[in-house]
Amino acid sequence: MHVLKFGGTSVGSVENITKVIQILEDYKKSQPVICVVSAVGGITDKLLKAGHLAQTKDESYLSEYKTIKDIHLNILSRLIPNVDKAVSDKLNTKLDNLKSLLDGIYLINELSPKTSDKLVSFGELLSSYIITETMKSKGIDVVRKNTQELIITNDNFTKAEVNYNTTYKNIQEYFSNATQSATILPGFVSKSQQGEITTLGRGGSDFTAALVASALEVDTLEIWTDVSGMYTANPKLVKQAYPIKKLSYQEAMELSHFGAKVLYPPTVQPVLDKNIPIVIKNTMEPDADGTYIAHEQTNNLTVRGISNINDISLLTLEGSGMVGIPGFSKRLFEVLANHKINVVFITQASSEHSICFGVNKADANQAKEKIDQAFEYEITQHKINPIVIETDLSIVALIGDNMKSHQGISGKMFSTLGKNNINVRAIAQGASEKNISAVISEHDVKKALNTLHEVFFEVKTKQLNVFITGVGNVGERLVEQIKQQKKYLKDNLKINLRVIGLSNSRQMVFDEDGISLKNWKAVLSTGETASLEGFFKTAKALNLRNSIFVDVTANKDVANLYANYLKESIAVVACNKIACSDTFDKYNQLKYLSRKYNAPFLFETNVGAGLPVIDTLNNLIASGDKVTSIQAVLSGSLNFVFNNFNDTTKFHDVVKQAQAEGYTEPDPRIDLSGVDVARKILILARESGTVMELEDITNDSFLTKANLESNSVDDFYKTLIDDEAHFQKLFAQANEKGSKLKYVAEFNEGKAKVGLKEIPQGHPFYNLEGKDNIVMFYTQRYKEQPMIIKGAGAGADVTASGLFADIIRIGND
Ligand code: ADP
Ligand code: ASP
Ligand code: MG
């Protein structure tokens, strides 16, 4: 005998019911089939909604009823186009009975648990009727048997407990006499010993099937649903989740208890007792393997699945009066048991100063009221405090039989949560170590599941979620480089780099699943109005793991928001130099936040564009070296200017050309005044461990007073024309000595200065070409011969690749 159960989605549409019948016909070829069916998908919820509306005297229960009626009549008429009148009359009579029940609830405005069970039982009774009649109309030898005549329970309405002896006897007796090749059974419904309608709890059709399978001691119990098995995590929340091939009964039970809705938790016990395996299959993909659940599995994987339960409230009983006095927890849990309040989670610190436990949100207030009543005396004596409730929490649990023999799993779990700024409110680990649970804010569930899934199941790929502000010259190249390298990164570095947010000064767009970079400019042009605050708020609200904010602007207001990002554990990558060259306090504060919130703050492109200057410096220091002196040419634009300026060119024209080719800041005065170079040497000095401010740097400007006092860029260019003789003199003086002009930054014995220098032949700076930069680090280890880094130090492409490298550094972390 085959026992198969089909869930709500599987019997939720004409197409799916047709698939179900096809599967049953195939199975029937070898042995008779018993098929347990759920209500049509969503009907149980609709019945309850109609009931609650009627109970509150809301006449819209009638329209809810009408929807329920239409759904069923429509399915029947499409499944059996020329349906017999007798069949449709019978369906209509059942629907009329449902209406009378709802009218009654409306009339007396009361919906007791007993009436609620009567109400919801219609779901399975209707679906099983329709499916049976459809099969009959196809000439299949099928009988519908009402499970209320087989499954007998106590009168704990809405979640009744089964009387196994009677139930098994009934099932065995019925099937020993049954001759049909197919039997349809409504799931979920049952009757009490007194003959009242009861149900087995939400999701209970799985349990009905388990009871039948166990009573008849069949070979396997098949649960057919809308996903291809029990997944490593809820596939609706974790896209990368995949079906688990094999699980032990214990693991399946833990996963379902902790939220894997695909299997109703009580389902496991009856089949476990008889050693009957459970197979979870997908009606929509019958050929997929699904999940096989049986006694001990030989699989060595430690963590087998991650599940979550939402709508949890955490209650804390606390007080010095509890320490060392036995009986408190007994009294506490007795109160809860007496009021049938289910405790999902318990922890007690070894100081015994407090007991913390989790209940469903719906039970929290009643639990507090009853416990405060029970401990009234101790509360008035100030021995303990009234219960404190925290709401909007969820439990996230790692499940696996083999976790107990592996150290470090909980460490990895909590450090992963911590790194992603997910605050853990309470922790529990069962003595069997099959389950490690953490209580976190409901807001963080999706992020927690995805990061944990990544760490425990996808070790090989890391998702980076990037938010880019500023898609001008450099930003545009960055996006293009990401687009081009996406596949390479995935294949070779196992990094899944996704651009989630993009903004220029006018518009911004977001896509939680990653913006398609194919025509990102068009997508951005349809975006909402840009705002720096709005960009931050969305990045925060999306709450994605490994989020990185990339600042490709030169804007002070953007730099002022880094602290906000870091506090949300969002990494910051910037080519904008403003933050790092602001006051030392501000720079230091950002460094501190980066450490505190585990969010990298990287700004390699602040010095030497794509050259690995800061990274090299950081590595020298991390390995115990000490910087004694730095000599550098750090301005690609000034180098370009002085390499092209001579007695045949004009200073003004050369500067104009540098700007036109994108080597200068938008305001060339920032470069020519030396401020840009001063900022860079300041950052290198600070990264070398020196406390320094921009004002501490000596800046002997080569510009004239008129150049420096110009009050606009245009004005500045005019003064360059007027002062051509001054610049020609600087060139001639150097040229006479066979030297070249270079703008040099120096850091020595804790002091820094910037200025134009005449560099003699033979000096490492002498042959520095085009817009190149050079940095020479003298350290304790590199005493005589400095560590030299040299190469293109300006330009959109190299700056973009420097930003890219910072992003990848975070990915490789
Ligand atoms: P049915 O109506 O077939 O009984 P359910 O809705 O009760 O189906 O259960 C299937 C659903 O369980 C899936 O669609 C999925 O959303 C949810 N689910 C939650 N956790 C898991 C998990 N770990 N594996 C598979 N499904 C899960
Ligand atoms: N129809 C019931 C519910 O939705 C039982 C089930 O589908 O398993 O809870
Ligand atoms: Mg279900």
Side-chain angles (χ1 to χ4, degrees):
M1 207 104 73
H2 297 291
V3 176
L4 294 84
K5 175 260 168 176
F6 290 89
T9 314
S10 305
V11 299
S13 66
V14 171
E15 293 70 30
N16 290 352
I17 294 176
T18 311
K19 285 184 188 133
V20 169
I21 295 175
Q22 183 60 52
I23 293 167
L24 293 177
E25 284 201 289
D26 281 352
Y27 272 66
K28 199 163 68 64
K29 286 179 194 147
S30 54
Q31 287 174 36
V33 288
I34 302 172
C35 166
V36 177
V37 294
S38 283
V40 169
I43 290 296
T44 311
D45 287 334
K46 288 194 165 56
L47 287 166
L48 284 171
K49 187 172 171 206
H52 286 122
L53 290 169
Q55 176 199 20
T56 50
K57 286 272 176 205
D58 184 335
E59 282 189 7
S60 57
Y61 83 92
L62 287 169
S63 70
E64 199 63 35
Y65 164 74
K66 173 98 177 22
T67 312
I68 296 169
K69 179 174 172 179
D70 290 348
I71 289 173
H72 288 97
L73 291 178
N74 178 38
I75 290 182
L76 181 74
S77 67
R78 288 182 53 211
L79 279 171
I80 319 177
N82 297 315
V83 61
D84 272 1
K85 189 168 175 306
V87 173
S88 62
D89 281 354
K90 201 158 170 195
L91 183 64
N92 274 303
T93 310
K94 287 179 195 291
L95 289 163
D96 289 346
N97 292 344
L98 168 61
K99 166 118 189 333
S100 308
L101 179 61
L102 286 167
D103 290 342
I105 296 169
Y106 178 79
L107 210 63
I108 59 170
N109 65 16
E110 194 181 283
L111 179 60
S112 65
K114 185 164 148 183
T115 314
S116 175
D117 270 357
K118 269 198 193 81
L119 180 63
V120 289
S121 69
F122 274 91
E124 271 67 9
L125 296 176
L126 289 165
S127 66
S128 57
Y129 178 72
I130 293 175
I131 293 166
T132 311
E133 290 307 324
T134 308
M135 289 173 76
K136 279 189 192 158
S137 75
K138 291 179 188 293
I140 300 170
D141 168 30
V142 61
V143 167
R144 170 173 174 269
K145 174 69 184 166
N146 189 343
T147 15
Q148 288 166 320
E149 291 157 21
L150 303 176
I151 298 177
I152 306 303
T153 67
N154 66 7
D155 60 2
N156 195 0
F157 296 105
T158 75
K159 197 175 177 181
E161 279 129 44
V162 170
N163 179 329
Y164 286 91
N165 283 341
T166 323
T167 300
Y168 283 1
K169 207 165 101 279
N170 290 345
I171 295 171
Q172 284 155 359
E173 254 171 40
Y174 174 75
F175 283 101
S176 65
N177 297 321
T179 53
Q180 68 274 16
S181 61
T183 311
I184 304 293
L185 302 176
F188 182 51
V189 295
S190 45
K191 253 190 195 149
S192 73
Q193 252 120 6
Q194 291 73 32
E196 296 288 355
I197 293 177
T198 55
T199 62
L200 302 175
R202 292 303 307 268
S205 297
D206 297 346
F207 189 36
T208 307
L211 292 169
V212 175
S214 176
L216 301 177
E217 303 197 1
V218 296
D219 291 342
T220 42
L221 162 63
E222 299 196 7
I223 304 286
W224 288 75
T225 181
D226 57 0
V227 285
S228 298
M230 205 161 208
Y231 278 58
T232 46
N234 184 347
K236 300 245 161 77
L237 297 175
V238 179
K239 288 217 173 76
Q240 311 295 334
Y242 53 85
I244 309 167
K245 285 217 155 25
K246 283 180 168 190
L247 281 171
S248 73
Y249 287 122
Q250 300 297 336
E251 287 169 333
M253 215 159 5
E254 291 279 342
L255 275 167
S256 64
H257 265 295
F258 279 84
K261 187 188 164 210
V262 63
L263 193 66
Y264 182 51
T267 309
V268 178
Q269 199 61 49
V271 286
L272 181 157
D273 291 341
K274 303 274 174 68
N275 209 355
I276 301 169
I278 306 173
V279 183
I280 301 181
K281 298 277 287 175
N282 187 348
T283 308
M284 275 52 78
E285 263 180 65
D287 292 333
D289 288 345
T291 299
Y292 183 85
I293 302 165
H295 267 303
E296 267 153 63
Q297 302 286 315
T298 49
N299 198 314
N300 286 330
L301 267 179
T302 45
V303 180
R304 309 301 315 283
I306 309 171
S307 51
N308 66 296
I309 318 180
N310 292 351
D311 288 332
I312 295 292
S313 292
L314 208 57
L315 279 70
T316 307
L317 183 69
E318 192 172 10
S320 52
M322 283 163 58
V323 183
I325 301 174
F328 266 93
S329 39
K330 176 173 175 282
R331 277 171 65 200
L332 169 68
F333 293 113
E334 237 165 38
V335 175
L336 294 168
N338 290 343
H339 292 90
K340 292 206 157 55
I341 295 170
N342 187 29
V343 178
V344 233
F345 181 97
I346 308 169
T347 53
Q348 180 176 23
S350 56
S351 71
E352 296 181 27
H353 185 252
S354 70
I355 303 175
C356 184
F357 58 97
V359 299
N360 285 323
K361 187 163 119 191
D363 294 332
N365 287 332
Q366 197 204 359
K368 173 178 164 57
E369 188 192 323
K370 301 296 175 198
I371 297 166
D372 285 351
Q373 264 168 23
F375 288 93
E376 198 179 354
Y377 174 73
E378 286 84 353
I379 292 172
T380 53
Q381 296 287 307
H382 301 295
K383 283 189 176 154
I384 60 169
N385 305 327
I387 286 271
V388 177
I389 306 183
E390 288 167 77
T391 52
D392 300 325
L393 299 171
S394 292
I395 299 177
V396 171
L398 297 188
I399 314 287
D401 280 349
N402 286 332
M403 294 200 306
K404 58 179 171 299
S405 44
H406 285 78
Q407 276 98 34
I409 292 179
S410 51
K412 198 159 152 189
M413 174 179 187
F414 296 114
S415 71
T416 303
L417 295 174
K419 266 192 203 151
N420 281 278
N421 202 24
I422 298 166
N423 188 26
V424 176
R425 275 294 301 113
I427 299 170
Q429 177 166 10
S432 67
E433 291 183 40
K434 288 185 196 313
N435 171 330
I436 308 172
S437 308
V439 178
I440 62 171
S441 158
E442 206 159 301
H443 171 67
D444 288 327
V445 166
K446 196 169 171 193
K447 180 169 161 184
L449 289 175
N450 279 282
T451 19
L452 292 173
H453 195 270
E454 192 169 80
V455 169
F456 288 101
F457 293 100
E458 306 160 40
V459 247
K460 290 179 201 84
T461 50
K462 181 165 182 177
Q463 188 179 86
L464 298 182
N465 294 302
V466 175
F467 298 80
I468 303 173
T469 283
V471 283
N473 219 350
V474 177
E476 179 177 337
R477 303 293 166 88
L478 175 63
V479 178
E480 289 299 330
Q481 287 180 11
I482 294 176
K483 179 164 115 187
Q484 190 194 320
Q485 289 303 100
K486 216 173 146 47
K487 187 166 167 355
Y488 175 88
L489 292 178
K490 218 176 200 164
D491 295 347
N492 295 282
L493 298 182
K494 304 291 179 206
I495 291 175
N496 178 13
L497 182 55
R498 312 187 315 157
V499 177
I500 307 296
L502 268 181
S503 176
N504 55 24
S505 53
R506 298 170 303 281
Q507 272 141 331
M508 58 184 189
V509 281
F510 301 92
D511 186 338
E512 197 177 342
D513 297 322
I515 296 169
S516 157
L517 297 183
K518 229 185 238 155
N519 46 6
W520 62 273
K521 282 191 187 161
V523 176
L524 179 58
S525 69
T526 61
E528 58 190 294
T529 307
S531 96
L532 298 178
E533 266 299 318
F535 199 75
F536 164 65
K537 282 200 180 127
T538 308
K540 177 181 166 182
L542 285 171
N543 202 17
L544 297 171
R545 66 194 184 283
N546 307 322
S547 289
I548 305 172
F549 172 65
V550 186
D551 176 8
V552 203
T553 72
N555 184 322
K556 194 171 173 56
D557 297 332
V558 179
N560 281 337
L561 284 171
Y562 295 174
N564 295 9
Y565 282 99
L566 294 172
K567 282 180 194 162
E568 296 303 326
S569 288
I570 298 175
V572 174
V573 167
C575 64
N576 183 350
K577 287 187 265 299
I578 293 175
C580 287
S581 56
D582 206 327
T583 62
F584 184 81
D585 277 352
K586 281 200 181 162
Y587 157 85
N588 206 29
Q589 169 74 1
L590 293 176
K591 289 262 175 184
Y592 162 77
L593 292 175
S594 161
R595 284 190 301 273
K596 177 168 179 196
Y597 292 95
N598 249 314
F601 172 38
L602 299 180
F603 40 86
E604 179 61 88
T605 45
N606 278 195
V607 181
L611 296 178
V613 179
I614 295 178
D615 193 46
T616 306
L617 176 57
N618 290 159
N619 288 338
L620 286 174
I621 292 169
S623 67
D625 206 349
K626 208 169 162 356
V627 175
T628 49
S629 156
I630 303 171
Q631 310 277 319
V633 174
L634 292 173
S635 170
S637 40
L638 282 175
N639 207 36
F640 177 88
V641 167
F642 287 107
N643 277 341
N644 288 288
F645 175 59
N646 53 44
D647 45 7
T648 67
T649 55
K650 293 217 156 40
F651 196 71
H652 164 273
D653 298 346
V654 177
V655 176
K656 269 266 161 173
Q657 191 192 345
Q659 180 167 28
E661 297 195 10
Y663 301 146
T664 66
E665 296 281 322
D667 181 346
R669 289 174 297 178
I670 297 182
D671 295 291
L672 287 143
S673 66
V675 169
D676 187 59
V677 175
R679 283 178 179 163
K680 289 173 178 167
I681 194 74
L682 174 71
I683 294 169
L684 292 184
R686 285 176 172 175
E687 290 289 298
S688 307
T690 307
V691 178
M692 189 184 278
E693 301 292 351
L694 196 60
E695 307 79 76
D696 300 336
I697 297 174
T698 312
N699 181 351
D700 298 323
S701 182
F702 66 87
L703 293 177
T704 65
K705 200 160 172 282
N707 301 152
L708 289 168
E709 286 173 358
S710 61
N711 40 30
S712 71
V713 175
D714 282 348
D715 219 25
F716 175 67
Y717 274 115
K718 277 189 203 123
T719 64
L720 290 186
I721 296 176
D722 299 342
D723 290 337
E724 178 66 19
H726 163 75
F727 299 111
Q728 283 299 340
K729 195 168 150 207
L730 292 176
F731 172 77
Q733 278 171 355
N735 202 31
E736 251 166 47
K737 296 174 204 154
S739 299
K740 282 188 182 175
L741 291 171
K742 299 284 166 194
Y743 198 87
V744 176
E746 291 167 281
F747 169 71
N748 233 323
E749 290 173 5
K751 299 228 159 8
K753 63 175 178 190
V754 296
L756 198 62
K757 279 193 145 185
E758 294 173 353
I759 303 292
Q761 224 164 358
H763 189 282
F765 292 175
Y766 185 83
N767 283 322
L768 202 62
E769 285 173 6
K771 53 193 186 320
D772 283 3
N773 277 197
I774 184 165
V775 184
M776 305 198 296
F777 287 116
Y778 289 90
T779 70
Q780 282 174 349
R781 287 184 200 141
Y782 292 88
K783 255 191 281 234
E784 273 94 45
Q785 287 303 318
M787 150 95 79
I788 299 182
I789 299 160
K790 183 178 158 187
D797 262 327
V798 287
T799 309
S801 69
L803 288 166
F804 200 88
D806 272 347
I807 296 172
I808 303 307
R809 261 177 211 123
I810 297 175
N812 285 333
D813 215 10

